[in-house]
Amino acid sequence: MRRSSTVAVALLAMALTSCSTPSTTAVAGPTTPSPTLGPWDHPRTEFVVQYALPKKDGCNADLEAWPSPGTATCVGWQLHLIAKEGVHAGELGGKFCDLDECRSGNVIPDAVSGVSTGPGAWRSVAMAVSADGRRVAYLSAVERRFVGVDLRKKLKRHLSPVLTPDEMTKTSILADGGTFTVWYGAKGLRTDFTTGRSTPRPKPKEEWGYDASPDGKRDAGVNDEASRNGTLEFRDAATRRVTRRLVLPGLGGATKSTVMQWRGNDEILLKMHSAEGADHLGWFLVSAASGGLRRLPGLPPDEETVVGAPRPPQ
């Protein structure tokens, strides 16, 4: 794992989703990132982000010191880039890219992946990638606010004001088509990336295992007791009444599934594993309208994985 054994155990205990608030965990404290850390000099590229993961050496255990609440303790998100048809290496200088993908480098250095919440405790912080892989958004350790970047246009947007220490400890982010929604403390903002216009957005009501759609009208979760492999339930967010059930398939045996995030208001990203042994079986997109299920290849099994553009058909 990417931290000391003590921190690694704590990370394995965190099952993150982009719509759920990660738990606060007491562990041996990561060190505060270097004060010389600079903002991301983002590239202009026609490659797209397939997925992102926290940087492996983004934080280190420190048994003596512990930063004050609201301090970024772990920084750096690694982007895995892939090419679309007709796109060739060179947009990033060719240092890390071949004709199809960029497998290393491409780190957002100031993107927060962990923040101190109090003495001996911290929480993970997610970033977001648009479904087309063209835009990313994250909490900047340098600017102490959410920022978004368009990789084709090299355009940057501020998605929140500068956050207070208390707001830094209570953050989440969601990508929805051409918009990003961020929550910090009791406040929320939804920003249209094209225009830069932001509107207030209340935080949706949350229930363990169920994630709210971007428009806040529905939520979805897996009922493990309803069928052998679980049933994906869609509910009215206000009344909690189930409006649709989709029985999930087995993949050579009994499976268990977790809703990881909504992709717009009509698709759900699921992570599946075997019921026995918890072996990773893959990531899948489920259509809320048709019930169709499609595997997304080439994604790592890590719970922290933030999914962007699917790999193009070969």
Side-chain angles (χ1 to χ4, degrees):
M1 292 295 287
R2 56 183 61 87
R3 301 169 176 85
S4 71
S5 59
T6 304
V7 179
V9 171
L11 274 181
L12 286 172
M14 297 180 186
L16 300 180
T17 66
S18 61
C19 303
S20 301
T21 302
S23 59
T24 297
T25 306
V27 295
T31 56
T32 305
S34 167
T36 61
L37 181 71
W40 186 32
D41 182 16
H42 48 279
R44 181 172 182 172
T45 179
E46 288 299 324
F47 282 82
V48 298
V49 180
Q50 184 190 19
Y51 65 86
L53 279 171
K55 191 169 178 284
K56 290 183 179 180
D57 57 352
C59 50
N60 300 294
D62 183 351
L63 299 177
E64 301 296 332
W66 191 267
S68 59
T71 302
T73 55
C74 303
V75 295
W77 278 82
Q78 183 100 30
L79 305 180
H80 183 100
L81 305 181
I82 56 174
K84 292 294 187 180
E85 184 179 357
V87 177
H88 302 288
E91 289 87 345
L92 297 179
K95 184 175 182 181
F96 300 106
C97 303
D98 58 25
L99 292 180
D100 298 315
E101 61 185 333
C102 303
R103 291 178 295 273
S104 61
N106 314 310
V107 173
I108 307 177
D110 64 319
V112 176
S113 59
V115 64
S116 170
T117 57
W122 67 291
R123 69 184 290 269
S124 295
V125 177
M127 63 169 293
V129 181
S130 61
D132 63 4
R134 301 287 189 180
R135 293 167 176 168
V136 298
Y138 56 94
L139 179 61
S140 169
V142 174
E143 299 188 54
R144 295 183 64 83
R145 69 198 307 168
F146 282 99
V147 297
V149 172
D150 188 306
L151 297 180
R152 283 177 302 174
K153 302 176 182 179
K154 201 169 181 178
L155 175 65
K156 180 178 178 180
R157 297 282 192 199
H158 287 154
L159 306 179
S160 77
V162 175
L163 305 184
T164 67
D166 183 61
E167 289 171 338
M168 285 278 286
T169 67
K170 304 180 183 73
T171 65
S172 58
I173 185 167
L174 178 68
D176 173 21
T179 70
F180 287 104
T181 303
V182 298
W183 291 278
Y184 45 97
K187 303 173 185 177
L189 283 176
R190 184 175 184 176
T191 301
D192 183 302
F193 202 97
T194 301
T195 65
R197 183 178 180 180
S198 295
T199 54
R201 184 70 185 270
K203 192 170 181 64
K205 295 180 180 179
E206 294 180 339
E207 180 180 333
W208 176 255
Y210 284 81
D211 287 346
S213 60
D215 62 13
K217 296 180 180 179
R218 293 185 291 177
D219 62 19
V222 177
N223 184 339
D224 291 323
E225 305 299 324
S227 61
R228 180 172 183 263
N229 301 303
T231 297
L232 180 61
E233 296 182 340
F234 296 91
R235 308 185 309 184
D236 181 282
T239 65
R240 295 293 194 265
R241 182 177 63 86
V242 176
T243 58
R244 184 169 189 181
R245 294 181 174 91
L246 298 174
V247 177
L248 296 172
L251 300 175
T255 63
K256 285 189 175 294
S257 302
T258 304
V259 172
M260 302 303 289
Q261 67 183 71
W262 285 75
R263 305 264 294 187
N265 294 304
D266 297 311
E267 283 190 313
I268 296 290
L269 181 67
L270 289 181
K271 187 175 186 290
M272 292 189 179
H273 62 272
S274 63
E276 294 184 7
D279 296 323
H280 176 68
L281 298 177
W283 298 79
F284 296 83
L285 277 180
V286 182
S287 169
S290 69
L293 184 143
R294 175 166 62 104
R295 178 188 284 272
L296 299 182
L299 297 174
D302 307 62
E303 295 287 350
E304 303 100 322
T305 302
V306 176
V307 178
R311 180 175 290 279
Q314 300 300 313

